[in-house]
Every structure is written in structure tokens, then in C-alpha cells.
Amino acid sequence: MKVTFPHMGHLWVVLKTALEGIGLEVVVPPPCTRRTLELGVRHAPESACLPLKVNLGNFLEAKELGADTIVMAGGVGPCRIGYYAQVQREILRDIGCEYEMVVFEPPDVHFSEVLEKVKYLNRRPWQEGLRGVMLAWQKACALDYLEQRVQHLRPREAQPGRVDAVFQRALRELAAAASRREIKRIVRQAEREMATLPLHTGRTVLKIGIVGEIYTVLEPLVNLNIEKRLGTLGVEVVRGLFISRWINDNLFKGLLPLPSHDPAKTAPPFLNHFVGGHGWESVGDAVTFARHGCDGVIQLAPLTCMPEIVAHSVMPAVQEAGGVPVMTLYLDEQTGEAGLQTRLEAFVDMLYWKKKRDKERRSAGAWGYFLGVGRGS
Amino acid sequence: MKAVYLGIDVGSVSTNVVALDEQGKVLHTVYLRTKGQPIQAIQEGLRQLLTALGKDLKVKGVGTTGSGRSLAAVMVGADVVKNEITAHAVAANFAVPGVQTVIEIGGQDSKIIILRHGIVTDFAMNTVCAAGTGSFLDQQAARLGIPIEDFGRRALEARSPVRIAGRCAVFAESDMIHKQQQGHPIEDIIAGLCEALVRNYLNNVGKGKEILPPVVFQGGVAANAGMRRAFNRALGTEVIVPEHYGVMGAFGAALLAKDMGLRESAFRGFNLTEMEFKTGGFECQGCANHCEVVELREGSRLLARWGDRCGKWSNAVAV
Ligand code: SF4
């Protein structure tokens, strides 16, 4: 059995470690490229959303490397992810691409099924398998930690691209790491290198929160490298979605002491219940980011993504109440780079002016107060 | 020597050049079709500018905008490179101080910009429907055999505009043909078409935005009297069409360059109209992305490369 799985950002490092940990031979699909997208688009229904298409491309490319089994996430609730796996299975069969599919549904609904499937895949004594899974978890945390450093440094580094180079190397090393000690060493080394990078002096850095559907947020092929683009424009990106947090929220049911999204607390009154996908979290996170002083929020979603459309429809209210501009970007295989770049630049310009004006107003207000004229202008 | 500021707007349909004097007054504007050849269009634009203003110019600042802004910037040596939303907002605010809403409809895309107290607070560009309003109007005028210049004027003669389904260009066209066959007067059909396009714009681009006066209407389509009236009626307020409505992007870019208050511009000189620029390209085989890398050369000198997703080529050229 040679297993493969779909790409989503650097999730592959985590999945590879976990699956190898339980004794499986793993084929990591080639990195997502235009070719992946083209392969997927060719065989998927046109109206399917983008993640389905890219996943399909991943499977076809992994097949070329000899994979014969797919590990795929399923889902419940009003989002199409629930039947992705089934649709993909049919498409693959139609084009004569032989694959076995092991689909994991969320554990709260089908817990015994999950155990069944793990038992089916597992090739090692339980303790050893568990060790591999723990290692994968540690890697997820290490990667997410380093990525946050990258998000902080991108707008501040004087030579764009250097912090990403450090991160990419650490990513490769982490993929190969075999022990907790090694992971720690790699993280420390990367941190040290990041600390020596030359920085801009006196650049105004804006802060933008990214919310949206998890796949479009985490996969740079699909979002056209939005975080890098924003970094170059002088923006520090923050987001609530990280692989480690997603695992914690979804698989460990938030047992670990990590900051988790808590849409039930943050999203109302704008949106009072689960709407599928990450729609509820998108609204909740937008509110959180507004409260924590972000200058703006960008919502990302694949074109036609239903949960995000619901979230989108309440964003004007969030914008109004939170005083934070929200821009929604729908992405699909037709999204042009020039159009995306124009929107990002304009959004950043706008936030920059707003920040400047608010500052001027505040100082004008303070002066007015001193002069006994009263606050504000 | 006359001091001027230049603004260059390179879009997929048109390329515009504007020259301003030190007060921000427009000295000359050039409007050209890009025809897929931005380099030639930029050179031609500058040549026409020289013919109109004489050779005795001192360029004190250059700004570029539009989807070809980076190419134009490298080619002419720009001091500021800005996205078209910002450039349009700056120009509208200069032409009509205190403007709160900008409606911009060109050949291929349309946008709405919301300003409050002189700064942009919100904007949107058309996304889903690719058919540009400008090109669509051109097409329909041609189909009805009416010169586009008269098209809008005819709309004003309408007695009772017919209702046309404006959800998208395909629907609109077939509905128009249907209404024609029913025997509605052509004026009423044209006016109905304008109203449908305005509804479509307000529902798709302007959705959820608070449209407050003064409203500025700019871009090529603002020339159309029928569209102007349809907006007036739909919004219940007068839309103002500024004098240089067709070249506001270039105007804004020039204003931004002027605003920088530079002592020395990076402008490479008007002899660039005589230089030989070439774009070439190749497909990188470095990975499965197979990026189409484009390069700009002046003679044999490599000025810039772009189009790569990984930065392998664009980072290698120091501009
Ligand atoms: S330019 Fe970079 S991303 Fe594009 S094909 Fe070459 S190596 Fe791949």
C-alpha cells in the first residue's frame, strides 16, 4: 500500500510524518503548481469549487509516482466538502485511475468508524504508531510557530524574500526530522537566522487579518501567494487558521491549551450558528481581529463557496460595528494576478490613509483638548 | 522651459498620457488604443505629447498606473507607480473636491470608489461578469447601425424606456432583439438598455455601498448621455462628469507624481520614443509551473523580467 493525500499549504509535512509513523509507505504529491491545477480543472466539473480541482490534480500527479491509496478528509454539514471524496472517487474511476480511498469523517459523528479506519491503516504496534503521530503534532506546532515569525518579518525585512528562504529550508529539514530534539534544533537555528536579517527602519507596517475558507487561506497556489504579496506591500498578516490549531479544534476537540477560534462567543450577533465550512469562524475571527487592532480584514473563499457567501453577507455589519474595513476575494482558476494585485494595493493604500488620518485626528483632538476647545475635529 | 508632470495609464484596452503644469492644470491629454502593444502605445503617446507641447519641456515627475503600470514604470523611469483605484480616486477628488462617490466605467472594467473626507473608505471592482459595459455598448451600437457618438443622444429622445433584462450581457442582447421584434421604437430600446446596464452596475459593483453625493461619473462610458441620465434617475441625484473623464487614471498618476515634490525625476528622457524596446519571453522549465517569463529589453540591455511565480527571474534583475 502506497498512500497519498491532498496538499494544503505545508500540511504535507504533518501528514507524511503521521502516516509514516504508523508504518505506511507515503507518496507526497509533487508541490502544487499550474500543472496540478490544469490536470484537476481538466477532469473536474466546471462548477466544482477550487479545492476539489486542485486535490484531483494532486491525486493524478501522485499516481504518476506510484501511489495507490488516498487518505482524504470527509465532512458533514451544509458544505460540499462532505461529498468531495465521493465525487473524486467517481471521477478517478471514470478516467481509469485506480485508487483505494480511505475517507475520514469528523470524529464526533462517526468515532468508531475513525478507529476502524486507523486500525485498517495501522501497520505497527500502537505505542510506536502513537509516537509517530505525536511527532507529526510537534512538527505542526513548530511550523505554525515559525510561520508566524515569517508573517511578522516579511513587511519589516529590507531585502524581500530572505525570510521566506530561511523558512523554506526549515520546512524541508522539519519534513525529514525524526525526533523531538531535532525539531527543536531546527526551530532554534531558523530563529537565529531570522534574527540576523537586515530590517527596514521607520516603515509604517499595517496589520491585516486573513479569514475565510481553510483551503484558500492555507494553499498559496490557490490564493496566488497573497501573504507574500501583502508582506511586500508592508503588511503584517495574522490569521486564526493554522494547521496545529485546526487539528486541535477538530481532532482533539480543543483539549490542548491552544488559543482556538470560538465562533460561538465571537460571531454573534452577526451570525448565530454554524453554516458549514469555516463561515462561522470567518465572521468570528473578523470580529476578533477588529477588536485586536487590525487595520483591515481580508476574507478569502473559492468562488461559489456557500458558507463563505453567508459570511460575506454579514461582513458589512461587522465592518460597520467593528470599524474595520473588510474586503472579500473570491478565487478560482481564472483569477488574474493583475486584478488581484490591484485590489490588494488599493486596499493597503486605503488602510494606510485611514491610519494616517486617524492619527492626525487623535493628535488634533489632543491639541484641541489642551487649548480648551474640546475634543475631535 | 516648461515644467510638466506626466501621468501614464496603460490598460488592456487604452493607453492614456496626461501632462500637467505646476498648478495641476491639464496641459494636454492623449488617448490611444493599446492594441496589445503597450510599448508602442506609450512611445506614441509621448510622441504626440511632444508634438502638441513643443520640445521645450522639463519633466519634474512621472507617475504610472493601470494593469501595465510596472512595464510602463520600468520603460519611462517613473517616480511613482500606483494602482488604478487610488489613481482614479485622487483625480476625482482633485476635479470635484469633496466627492463622496466615484463611478468609473471603462471599456473592460468598472469600479466604485467611496470617499469620505477626501480619503477612500471603500471600493469594489467588477468581478463575475467579464463583459465590459463599454465594449458592450459599442457592440450594440454597431448592431443597430448607430454611430456610438449618437447612441446616447438617441436615448434622450426616448418617451418610455422599455424594460430590458440586464442580468448579464448575453441576456440583455437577446432581450433587446426580442423587444426590437415586438416593434418598440429604437430610442426606447436604447434608453432601456442604458437603464439595464445601470441597474446591473448598481447591483453587482455598487452592492452594499452607501452612494452619497456628490457623485462623479468617469471613464469612457461617461461620454454617453443615455448612461448619464440613467444614473441620474436611478440615484435620484445629479452625476457630475469631470472635464477629463476619459483619462482620469493618467490624471491621477500625474497628480501623485506632482505630490511627491521631487527635486529630480527618474524620467529617462523623451528620446525613449526613439529607442528600441523589445519584449521577449520564454517558458521556464525550472519546475512544473512552466511560467511564461516576460522580459523587457532596450537594445541588448535587459531592463526587467516578470511573470515568474517563484522570483527566480524577476529578483535576478536589479531595476
Ligand atoms: S520561474 Fe520559478 S516557479 Fe516559474 S517555472 Fe521557473 S522555477 Fe518554476
Side-chain angles (χ1 to χ4, degrees):
Chain A
M1 190 190 286
K2 286 190 178 173
V3 291
T4 191
F5 46 78
H7 268 299
M8 182 170 80
H10 46 249
L11 177 67
W12 64 275
V13 174
V14 183
L15 281 177
K16 176 175 187 278
T17 309
L19 293 171
E20 281 177 353
I22 58 172
L24 291 166
E25 196 178 336
V26 174
V27 178
V28 178
C32 288
T33 59
R34 286 311 287 181
R35 179 170 185 262
T36 319
L37 185 57
E38 275 161 26
L39 278 174
V41 166
R42 196 180 311 152
H43 297 293
E46 208 214 319
S47 58
C49 35
L50 202 50
L52 184 141
K53 298 176 185 174
V54 183
N55 288 179
L56 203 60
N58 290 147
F59 299 151
L60 290 167
E61 288 188 318
K63 188 83 209 171
E64 291 166 4
L65 302 178
D68 55 25
T69 305
I70 295 169
V71 174
M72 176 73 192
V76 289
C79 165
R80 281 176 282 181
I81 175 97
Y83 62 73
Y84 267 20
Q86 326 304 335
V87 174
Q88 286 163 345
R89 190 199 321 255
E90 292 302 313
I91 295 172
L92 289 170
R93 188 176 300 150
D94 284 351
I95 57 180
C97 183
E98 285 298 319
Y99 258 127
E100 183 183 352
M101 253 197 184
V102 183
V103 183
F104 282 89
E105 305 280 346
D108 47 348
V109 186
H110 307 285
F111 196 71
S112 55
E113 251 180 55
V114 173
L115 280 184
E116 280 304 304
K117 282 172 183 157
V118 175
K119 222 183 275 167
Y120 172 71
L121 288 172
N122 194 18
R123 299 276 179 269
R124 288 227 172 114
W126 276 103
Q127 303 86 327
E128 259 179 61
L130 212 59
R131 207 190 139 257
V133 172
M134 280 320 288
L135 194 67
W137 165 252
Q138 283 148 7
K139 286 187 186 180
C141 294
L143 278 168
D144 290 344
Y145 171 73
L146 283 180
E147 197 171 21
Q148 278 169 295
R149 296 288 309 142
V150 175
Q151 289 171 331
H152 177 81
L153 282 170
R154 267 190 199 125
R156 295 179 170 87
E157 64 177 347
Q159 294 155 338
R162 293 218 17 211
V163 68
D164 273 289
V166 176
F167 182 64
Q168 285 307 324
R169 210 179 48 241
L171 187 73
R172 279 196 300 275
E173 288 176 8
L174 279 172
S179 71
R180 180 167 197 171
R181 259 202 27 233
E182 234 178 299
I183 296 176
K184 277 198 174 150
R185 183 191 57 75
I186 295 163
V187 170
R188 240 179 284 128
Q189 166 75 18
E191 271 191 308
R192 226 174 299 137
E193 279 174 46
M194 287 180 192
T196 63
L197 295 176
L199 301 181
H200 273 300
T201 46
R203 183 180 200 183
T204 308
V205 172
L206 294 171
K207 206 171 190 179
I208 292 182
I210 292 204
V211 303
E213 186 275 333
I214 187 167
Y215 192 83
T216 15
V217 171
L218 294 184
E219 178 51 57
L221 173 82
V222 170
N223 64 34
L224 301 173
N225 257 314
I226 192 167
E227 294 198 13
K228 250 193 226 175
R229 286 175 195 267
L230 285 169
T232 318
L233 293 175
V235 173
E236 177 179 347
V237 169
V238 290
R239 56 174 142 89
L241 283 169
F242 282 97
I243 288 168
S244 57
R245 195 173 297 173
W246 183 82
I247 298 174
N248 186 28
D249 289 355
N250 286 277
L251 299 182
F252 303 159
K253 287 286 136 209
L255 288 178
L256 299 170
L258 277 180
S260 72
H261 315 268
D262 198 348
K265 284 217 187 82
T266 49
F270 306 105
L271 192 60
N272 298 326
H273 48 81
F274 179 70
V275 292
H278 285 88
W280 207 17
E281 281 89 344
S282 291
V283 175
D285 283 359
V287 172
T288 309
F289 290 147
R291 278 200 200 123
H292 287 79
C294 276
D295 298 294
V297 170
I298 295 180
Q299 181 197 7
L300 296 178
L303 189 66
T304 75
C305 170
M306 198 277 290
E308 295 301 328
I309 290 174
V310 175
H312 183 185
S313 68
V314 301
M315 287 302 184
V318 176
Q319 173 163 341
E320 196 59 35
V324 70
V326 182
M327 176 168 73
T328 302
L329 297 171
Y330 288 106
L331 298 146
D332 78 350
E333 67 266 24
Q334 321 250 338
T335 302
E337 299 200 11
L340 182 85
Q341 184 70 23
T342 297
R343 285 172 169 83
L344 293 180
E345 285 178 18
F347 193 61
V348 170
D349 274 350
M350 175 177 114
L351 299 181
Y352 183 74
W353 286 331
K354 186 167 172 286
K355 190 174 188 127
K356 203 169 136 208
R357 192 190 58 172
D358 288 351
K359 207 192 253 165
E360 280 164 9
R361 276 197 166 171
R362 261 198 305 280
S363 57
W367 274 111
Y369 187 73
F370 278 119
L371 297 170
V373 198
R375 256 178 222 277
S377 55
Chain B
M1 281 264 246
K2 226 184 304 175
V4 294
Y5 296 91
L6 300 183
I8 306 175
D9 178 353
V10 184
S12 53
V13 179
S14 66
T15 295
N16 311 317
V17 185
V18 164
L20 303 182
D21 70 8
E22 304 236 47
Q23 278 69 49
K25 204 168 114 321
V26 175
L27 295 172
H28 192 67
T29 68
V30 182
Y31 179 99
L32 296 164
R33 296 260 152 201
T34 310
K35 291 189 201 136
Q37 299 187 307
I39 295 177
Q40 281 75 355
I42 294 167
Q43 287 181 314
E44 180 57 28
L46 291 176
R47 229 176 272 137
Q48 290 191 10
L49 201 73
L50 275 189
T51 320
L53 295 178
K55 294 235 177 324
D56 208 20
L57 298 178
K58 165 103 182 98
V59 174
K60 295 190 69 183
V62 185
T64 64
T65 186
S67 53
R69 58 188 175 277
S70 313
L71 165 74
V74 175
M75 205 180 128
V76 304
D79 304 302
V80 54
V81 187
K82 267 293 169 202
N83 63 83
E84 45 271 41
I85 297 197
T86 301
H88 278 132
V90 165
N93 197 45
F94 186 84
V96 181
V99 56
Q100 299 208 81
T101 310
V102 180
I103 294 169
E104 195 344 288
I105 305 183
Q108 281 306 311
D109 51 27
S110 42
K111 27 182 139 17
I112 186 166
I113 308 170
I114 306 293
L115 296 98
R116 297 292 181 261
H117 309 288
I119 72 164
V120 176
T121 58
D122 202 0
F123 65 86
M125 283 168 89
N126 64 328
T127 40
V128 186
C129 195
T133 303
S135 332
F136 185 66
L137 282 169
D138 281 349
Q139 249 175 48
Q140 297 314 316
R143 200 175 57 79
L144 298 171
I146 301 171
I148 185 72
E149 299 76 35
D150 297 344
F151 200 71
R153 204 175 39 71
R154 292 289 292 274
L156 298 185
E157 293 161 11
R159 294 259 180 72
S160 58
V162 294
R163 184 162 177 101
I164 289 175
R167 185 173 315 251
C168 89
V170 181
F171 276 109
E173 172 151 348
S174 59
D175 200 31
M176 258 177 79
I177 294 173
H178 176 67
K179 296 281 154 54
Q180 241 177 305
Q181 285 162 343
Q182 284 183 333
H184 288 282
I186 203 85
E187 288 78 22
D188 289 352
I189 293 180
I190 297 177
L193 176 66
C194 291
E195 297 197 340
L197 290 172
V198 164
R199 259 199 321 275
N200 181 293
Y201 172 91
L202 292 174
N203 287 335
N204 288 317
V205 186
K207 184 170 56 198
K209 312 253 179 282
E210 195 187 15
I211 298 180
L212 297 179
V215 180
V216 164
F217 179 20
Q218 58 193 39
V221 172
N224 189 307
M227 290 294 287
R228 289 202 298 263
R229 191 179 64 169
F231 268 117
N232 288 342
R233 284 175 46 159
L235 296 175
T237 172
E238 188 75 25
V239 294
I240 306 166
V241 177
E243 186 186 354
H244 304 287
Y245 62 87
V247 293
M248 296 296 269
F251 184 20
L255 286 171
L256 283 160
K258 179 170 164 290
D259 224 39
M260 292 184 63
L262 291 170
R263 221 170 304 137
E264 202 58 58
S265 169
F267 185 56
R268 300 178 65 214
F270 278 105
N271 48 355
L272 72 92
T273 56
E274 310 309 325
M275 287 178 194
E276 209 181 318
F277 290 97
K278 262 212 194 100
T279 49
F282 56 91
E283 189 175 273
C284 175
Q285 302 293 341
C287 77
N289 272 330
H290 292 276
C291 295
E292 204 63 65
V293 182
V294 183
E295 44 183 39
L296 176 68
R297 287 174 189 274
E298 179 217 312
S300 61
R301 207 170 118 224
L302 181 65
L303 291 181
R305 273 189 180 132
W306 61 91
D308 50 343
R309 306 185 130 230
C310 69
K312 171 171 163 179
W313 302 100
S314 48
N315 290 346
V317 194
V319 188

